Amino acid sequence: MSIFSNLGIRGSILGLAAIVTGIGVTRSCDGGGIVTSQHRVDLTFWNGFTGPDGRRMLEIIRDFNRENPDIQVSMQRMDWATYYNKLMVAAMDQRGPQLFVVHASTLPRMYRSGFIENSARLYSGSDPIPSADYDPYVLQQVKFKDQYAGVPLDIHPQGMYTNAEMLRAAGIQQPPADKASFMRALRLLTKKSNSGDASQWAFALTLWRNNFQSLIPQFRGRYLKPNGDADLNNPGNIAALQFLGDLSREKLIPPPENGLGWVGYRQKKVAMVWDGVYMLGDLLRLQGLDYVAAPIPQIGPQPGTMADSHVLCIRKGLSEAQRTGAETFIRYLSKNSIRWAAAGQVPARRSVRQTPEFASMPVQSAFARQIPFMMYPPRTPVLFEVTLEIDQAVEKVIRGNADAKTALDLANVNAQRGIDRDRAEQKIAPAGGIQP
Amino acid sequence: MQRTGFLFLAPYAVSFAIFVILPIVVSFVLSFMRFDLTAQSSAGFVGFDNYREALQDNYFWSAVKATLLFALMIVPGLLVIGLSMALGMNAMARGQAAVRALVFLPGMLNIAVTGILWQWFFNGEFGLFNFALKHFGGQGQPWLSDKAFAMPSIVLMSVWWTVGGTAIILLTALQQIPGMYFEAAALDGASTTRMFRYITLPLLKPVMSFVVVTTSIAGFQMFGQAFMLTRGGPELSTRGVAQYIYETAFNSYRMGYGAAMSWLLFALISVFGIFQIRMMRRPA
C-alpha cells in the first residue's frame, strides 16, 4: 500500500499541492537558486561551451567544487545560437542561471535588458580582481558608465593558421607577416591540376564577415562614429573589403561555391586560413597536421585583427549568499584562467599571459601578440542589424556582385536605419551617441 | 456520459488552450505593441505601426518573394512526383508494402539530419552531386552559393524529404477508386491516357486539393530547410518570411514587429488557401 492510497485521492492532491507550493515559495525567496543547507549554496552556470572547451571548463568547475564545498556550481552548456534566447527569456523572469557567459560584443544588448548585476565590487573589496591587470580596451568593453557588466575571462582574437608542411614544400620558412610575403605565398602555394582546377589553395576564407572584420583595424576602419551613427562605408572599411574582393576576383581564393575554408585546411587542401584562437580545440583532435599559428599578416598600413571576449556575469536578484558564492567562483576562474587558455583561449588577465606556462602555448601566445592592435565588433544594442548589413556587403563583394564602396554604402544606409529606429524607440538622442 | 467525454478531452483541451490559443491571442496583442525584449521599459501600444513598417520593409518583401518562390516550386513538384510515385506503386503487383515503407522513410528524418546530409550532397568541393557530374564529364555546380541554384536546391531537398507522405496519401486515394470504372472504360476501348484523364484525375481531385492546400501551407512556412542549407543566403535570396520572423523576434528581440509579420504571413496563407480551394472546387 502506498502512502497515497492511505491518504486518499483528495489528500494526495492536497499533499502534492503543498509540496509544489513549498518549492515555489522557497525558490522565489532565494532568487531561483537552491540553498540546500545552511552553509552550501548551489549555483547554475550557463554558457555555450559545447566543444572541447566545455570539457575543460567542466574540469575547472569540478576542482572548484572540491576546493569550495560550501559552493557547488553546476554547468549547463548549449549551442550559442539558442543560448542567448534562452538566457534572455529565463533571466528576465529571474528564473535563469545565477552565473552566465556573455560575449563582450553582445553585452550592450544584454545589459540593456536589465538582468545583469553590476560586478563593480569584484574589482574592489578584500580580494579584488585588479582592474589594472586588464588591457584598458578590454575592460572598456564591460563598462557601462560607472558599472561593470562582468569580468572578462578571455580574449579570442582572429589569427592565421598555416600548414607548416605545405609552406616548407613551397620554400616558405615563416608564415607571411606582411602583404608582400602574403601575396607571394598566395601565388606560390596555389597549385593547379591538369584540368585547370586548383588542387591546392594557398588561402581560403573561413567566416567571411570575421575575415573582413580582421582587416578593418589594419586599414584604420571602424563601425560607428563617436556619436553612435553608422560608419560602415568609411575609406578604411572600403579598402579592407576591396582587398578581399580583389583576392576573389583574381581567383587567389577558392570560389564561393567551393565550400573550402576551415574544412579545406583540416584536409590539407588549403595552406592558410584566418580564424579564431578557439579553433585550436579542433586542431588538437587532429592527427598528422603540422600547423603553425601566427598573427594575421599586415595587409593594411598597420597591424590589427578582430577579437571578442567571454565575459563572466552575475544575474540580478540573487540572495547575498548566492552573490558572494558567484563572486567567489568568478575570482577562481579568473585566477585559474591559464587552465582555460589550454582549451584554445587567450586569458584576459595580463599577469596570466606573462606566465611561462602561457608562453609555452604556441598558438595562444602567437595570437596574443595581436592584443594591442585588436578591435571588437561594433558596440551597439542593434548588433544583429549592423552585423547583417556587414554580412550582406561582404557577400556581395566576394561574389563579385558589387564593388566594396557600393556594397558598404548600402550597408551603411540600412544599418543607420536600424540605429535610428532603436534611438526613436528608446528615446536616445543621436548627439549623445549610443551609451548602453 | 457527456461529462465523462469532456473529462477525457480536458487534458488536451487545457494544453491546447495554453499552448495554442493563448500564444495566438498574445501574438495578436503583441503585433500592435512595441515590445523589445532588451528594453521593456519602452513597451507600449503603437497601433498599426508594426504592420505599416512591414509593408515598407524591403527585407520583408524579399522574404515574401523567397517564400512564394519556394511554395510555387514545391507544390507542383510534390504533386507531380508524388502522383507519379503513387501511380507506380499502385501498378505494382508485388512488393508494394516494402516500397511504400522505403518511400516514406526520408520523411522520418528530422530537418536537422536531412539538412546536414544534403549539405554534403550539395558541397561544391566534395559533394555527391558534383562528384557525379564531374565523373560523367560535366562541371560542378554552385548548388547553394548561386542565387539561381540555391532555391531550386532547397526545393529538391524538400521534395526528397516530404514526397513520401504525399505519395502515400495519393496512393490511398488511388486505391479507393472502384475498379469497375476502369473495366467499363476498357470495354469501351478507352486508352490508358484517357482513363487517367477522365477517371483517375477527376476522382483524385478532392485528395489532390487537400494535398495542394496542405503543402502550400507547409511551403509558406518554409524555415528549417533554408536555415539548415543556406541560412537564408546567398544574399538573403532564400530567407523566407518564417526565418525573417524568427530573426526579428529572437535575434533582434523585436517581439511586436515579429508578431505583426506572423499575422501578415497568416493572412497571405489564408488568401492562397481560400483561392486554391475555390480553384479546385470549380467543375472541370
Side-chain angles (χ1 to χ4, degrees):
Chain A
M1 293 292 277
S2 73
I3 187 169
F4 291 107
S5 54
N6 289 334
L7 284 171
I9 291 173
R10 187 173 290 180
S12 305
I13 292 169
L14 284 172
L16 281 172
I19 292 166
V20 170
T21 312
I23 291 170
V25 168
T26 311
R27 288 180 66 85
S28 66
C29 289
D30 69 18
I34 300 169
V35 182
T36 51
S37 71
Q38 205 178 353
H39 300 295
R40 202 182 97 175
V41 177
D42 284 356
L43 300 170
T44 312
F45 175 40
W46 281 14
N47 57 58
F49 305 141
T50 50
D53 51 357
R55 286 193 287 278
R56 175 55 59 121
M57 182 57 78
L58 211 53
E59 286 169 18
I60 302 173
I61 290 173
R62 276 198 202 112
D63 290 345
F64 172 82
N65 288 344
R66 200 168 40 246
E67 291 168 34
N68 297 272
D70 54 335
I71 307 165
Q72 291 299 294
V73 175
S74 62
M75 180 169 85
Q76 192 169 342
R77 298 180 279 175
M78 55 196 99
D79 182 49
W80 285 114
T82 52
Y83 167 73
Y84 281 119
N85 293 337
K86 291 188 179 180
L87 174 68
M88 175 79 95
V89 174
M92 283 177 59
D93 197 32
Q94 306 229 329
R95 288 179 294 113
Q98 291 80 35
L99 283 153
F100 48 89
V101 171
V102 174
H103 283 93
S105 54
T106 313
L107 263 182
R109 288 198 304 173
M110 295 289 157
Y111 191 73
R112 192 166 84 174
S113 306
F115 60 81
I116 298 179
E117 185 63 84
N118 178 13
S119 293
R121 72 182 204 186
L122 268 161
Y123 296 95
S124 56
S126 58
D127 183 18
I129 295 173
S131 54
D133 203 15
Y134 294 90
D135 301 85
Y137 180 68
V138 174
L139 205 58
Q140 189 193 327
Q141 305 302 318
V142 304
K143 250 188 126 174
F144 296 87
K145 293 179 180 162
D146 59 340
Q147 300 200 343
Y148 291 86
V151 174
L153 173 65
D154 57 48
I155 299 167
H156 39 268
Q158 299 281 306
M160 184 163 71
Y161 293 95
T162 64
N163 182 318
E165 195 182 331
M166 288 163 82
L167 259 62
R168 278 196 302 271
I172 302 168
Q173 300 308 318
Q174 292 292 324
D178 54 26
K179 188 176 178 182
S181 59
F182 183 67
M183 298 307 286
R184 184 173 161 267
L186 289 191
R187 293 192 166 86
L188 281 173
L189 284 158
T190 303
K191 288 182 182 166
K192 297 274 170 75
S193 65
N194 293 336
S195 62
D197 292 341
S199 57
Q200 175 184 300
W201 289 97
F203 177 65
L205 299 178
T206 49
L207 191 58
W208 296 359
R209 187 210 316 147
N210 285 359
N211 292 163
F212 164 58
Q213 289 179 282
S214 296
L215 290 179
I216 287 179
Q218 296 202 1
F219 287 90
R220 300 193 180 96
R222 64 182 183 184
Y223 304 102
L224 303 171
K225 293 175 184 168
N227 71 352
D229 279 349
D231 192 20
L232 297 179
N233 56 346
N234 65 71
N237 290 8
I238 292 171
L241 187 52
Q242 193 57 52
F243 174 76
L244 292 184
D246 289 346
L247 291 185
S248 180
R249 194 168 42 79
E250 291 169 25
K251 301 191 189 315
L252 290 168
I253 53 173
E257 61 271 18
N258 192 292
L260 287 170
W262 184 257
V263 176
Y265 176 71
R266 288 173 104 251
Q267 296 185 341
K268 302 182 185 176
K269 290 183 176 178
V270 175
M272 300 181 291
V273 285
W274 298 348
D275 216 317
V277 66
Y278 39 78
M279 297 308 285
L280 174 62
D282 189 38
L283 291 184
L284 290 172
R285 291 184 292 181
L286 275 183
Q287 298 285 322
L289 182 68
D290 185 6
Y291 57 87
V292 171
I296 302 262
Q298 188 186 326
I299 307 295
Q302 62 184 30
T305 192
M306 174 207 171
D308 208 334
S309 283
H310 293 122
V311 180
L312 300 163
C313 303
I314 300 172
R315 178 167 61 78
K316 268 186 183 168
L318 306 189
S319 66
E320 186 54 33
Q322 286 178 322
R323 190 172 169 187
T324 307
E327 287 171 351
T328 307
F329 178 68
I330 289 177
R331 276 193 200 95
Y332 183 90
L333 271 188
S334 185
K335 273 180 196 165
N336 290 279
S337 54
I338 189 67
R339 292 181 63 192
W340 175 238
Q345 298 288 345
V346 175
R349 291 178 70 160
R350 286 198 277 220
S351 59
V352 181
R353 296 202 301 267
Q354 284 157 4
T355 57
E357 205 175 344
F358 183 71
S360 69
M361 297 177 180
V363 173
Q364 293 91 325
S365 53
F367 278 47
R369 294 208 298 272
Q370 304 171 103
I371 285 175
F373 320 109
M374 65 188 179
M375 182 187 267
Y376 280 60
R379 197 165 191 248
T380 167
V382 288
L383 178 72
F384 178 76
E385 286 87 337
V386 175
T387 306
L388 179 80
E389 296 307 330
I390 296 171
D391 273 332
Q392 297 309 303
V394 175
E395 196 176 350
K396 280 181 194 142
V397 173
I398 302 291
R399 292 185 193 284
N401 294 335
D403 64 88
K405 183 171 184 325
T406 309
L408 286 170
D409 280 347
L410 179 63
N412 199 59
V413 169
N414 289 340
Q416 185 60 44
R417 192 176 297 134
I419 291 168
D420 288 341
R421 177 194 49 74
D422 188 64
R423 279 174 177 164
E425 287 180 4
Q426 310 310 321
K427 299 181 176 63
I428 301 170
I434 292 178
Q435 293 296 328
Chain B
M1 200 60 198
Q2 201 182 8
R3 218 168 152 187
T4 316
F6 279 124
L7 273 175
F8 275 107
L9 266 178
Y12 178 73
V14 169
S15 68
F16 186 78
I18 294 172
F19 297 111
V20 179
I21 303 291
L22 186 64
I24 289 174
V25 173
V26 170
S27 84
F28 187 69
V29 175
L30 266 179
S31 74
F32 296 100
M33 287 180 72
R34 177 173 54 232
F35 190 76
D36 183 336
L37 270 184
T38 67
Q40 291 178 81
S41 57
S42 66
F45 279 92
V46 291
F48 285 91
D49 279 5
N50 288 328
Y51 290 92
R52 252 192 298 273
E53 185 183 341
L55 297 177
Q56 293 167 356
D57 181 353
N58 289 337
Y59 284 141
F60 176 71
W61 287 113
S62 76
V64 169
K65 192 177 147 196
T67 305
L68 281 174
L69 187 63
F70 178 79
L72 288 174
M73 287 164 92
I74 191 145
V75 174
L78 279 177
L79 202 61
V80 172
I81 298 170
L83 184 58
S84 309
M85 288 166 67
L87 288 168
M89 285 191 282
N90 197 37
M92 287 176 78
R94 289 170 59 193
Q96 195 194 83
V99 172
R100 209 167 44 193
L102 284 174
V103 160
F104 195 68
L105 215 55
M108 305 289 284
L109 301 174
N110 68 29
I111 186 58
V113 176
T114 309
I116 291 167
L117 189 68
W118 279 74
Q119 252 177 3
W120 285 106
F121 288 171
F122 285 134
N123 186 289
E125 178 72 10
F126 350 87
L128 180 70
F129 294 150
N130 278 357
F131 172 79
L133 283 173
K134 285 175 187 168
H135 184 74
F136 291 108
Q139 273 199 326
Q141 298 299 325
W143 299 103
L144 299 176
S145 61
D146 187 299
K147 279 197 222 179
F149 281 86
M151 190 57 92
S153 300
I154 292 171
V155 171
L156 182 67
M157 182 195 81
S158 305
V159 167
W160 176 85
W161 186 41
T162 55
V163 75
T166 308
I168 303 289
I169 292 170
L170 290 168
L171 174 65
T172 312
L174 275 175
Q175 289 170 341
Q176 301 300 313
I177 300 174
M180 61 184 178
Y181 294 153
F182 297 102
E183 287 160 17
L187 283 175
D188 289 342
S191 66
T192 314
T193 316
R194 289 179 76 81
M195 279 195 265
F196 178 72
R197 167 79 178 81
Y198 292 106
I199 300 172
T200 310
L201 273 186
L203 291 173
L204 275 184
K205 209 173 168 185
V207 176
M208 281 167 60
S209 172
F210 168 78
V211 166
V212 167
V213 172
T214 51
T215 53
S216 297
I217 292 172
F220 277 108
Q221 295 177 57
M222 182 268 291
F223 174 66
Q225 298 97 314
F227 196 72
M228 288 303 298
L229 282 185
T230 60
R231 295 266 154 180
E235 294 176 45
L236 300 182
S237 61
T238 60
R239 182 171 77 166
V241 179
Q243 189 182 335
Y244 187 35
I245 291 168
Y246 169 79
E247 289 175 357
T248 303
F250 298 107
N251 288 338
S252 299
Y253 300 115
R254 298 184 65 206
M255 297 294 169
Y257 188 43
M261 286 195 289
S262 304
W263 282 94
L264 287 174
L265 178 62
F266 171 72
L268 189 70
I269 294 172
S270 303
V271 168
F272 265 79
I274 292 166
F275 175 73
Q276 281 170 337
I277 290 169
R278 288 207 171 157
M279 286 294 287
M280 298 296 275
R281 274 188 187 159
R282 279 170 61 181

